[in-house]
Amino acid sequence: NRLWRMQKEYPLGADDVVLQKTPTTFDVSVWELFWPLLVGARLHLARPGGHLDRRYLVDTILAEQVTTLHFVPSMLQLFVEEPRLAQCRSLRRVICSGEALPLALQQRFAQACGAPLHNLYGPTEAAVDVSYWACCDEPGQSSVPIGHPISNTQLYVLDEDLQPVPVGVAGELYIGGVNLARGYHGRPELTAERFVPDPHALEPGAR
């Protein structure tokens, strides 16, 4: 579900090149590796530790004509400081997740690079990401939203009784749907505490 949702939202073609630079101990590496291979795009593997070297990344983007890559915001902050970023005209989409994306960084990236920036959000208890937002500079904007739920996924803001709160009222974010994990491995008590029945789902047994 997660991979095909990526393809629906950000279609890759045979002329796309995805830079795989996330260590495989992190969940983002899953879509970096498998998304391009599912649809016939090209995959380029960065050298070990290359994700920490902004000059190497720019060299690789230019040499391989990379169109798609991912950053956590703290690494994007370093990347936008690279003077040659404006030369990376092959970029078609830059995806950001893993940390809160500061509005000032979104704006700085837009000034330094012409590629669209996308903010994705997802906790460990889900398959990589559960929401997406196409970054844009809107009047009066004070933060970068986490956006809308991806396909076959529900996001609720609920009160302590698991009832929806009105717009503008603080609540807790709950996630449902196929992108939700099944629980914590070897932790049945914690799973029962955190993965609760979904009172708003249409299908029985949803959590």
Side-chain angles (χ1 to χ4, degrees), residues 18 28 46 60 138 197:
V18 175
V28 167
T60 303
E138 298 181 335

Side-chain angles (χ1 to χ4, degrees), residues 116-140:
L117 181 65
H118 303 274
N119 186 42
L120 276 54
Y121 165 80
T124 301
E125 292 82 0
V128 192
D129 303 302
V130 295
S131 71
Y132 65 102
W133 178 260
C135 294
C136 56
D137 199 4
E138 298 181 335

Side-chain angles (χ1 to χ4, degrees), residues 12 15-18 65-69 90-94:
L12 293 181
D15 60 341
D16 276 295
V17 181
V18 175
Q65 290 297 285
V66 170
T67 65
T68 307
L69 76 164
S90 64
L91 289 176
R92 298 175 183 169
R93 59 192 71 80
V94 175

Side-chain angles (χ1 to χ4, degrees), residues 22-55:
T22 304
T24 54
T25 49
F26 291 92
D27 55 4
V28 167
S29 67
V30 173
W31 69 251
E32 285 182 336
L33 285 165
F34 293 109
W35 179 24
L37 300 181
L38 280 172
V39 297
R42 187 156 63 90
L43 174 68
H44 182 80
L45 300 176
R47 73 185 185 196
H51 64 292
L52 301 174
D53 186 339
R54 71 188 191 203
R55 294 178 181 85

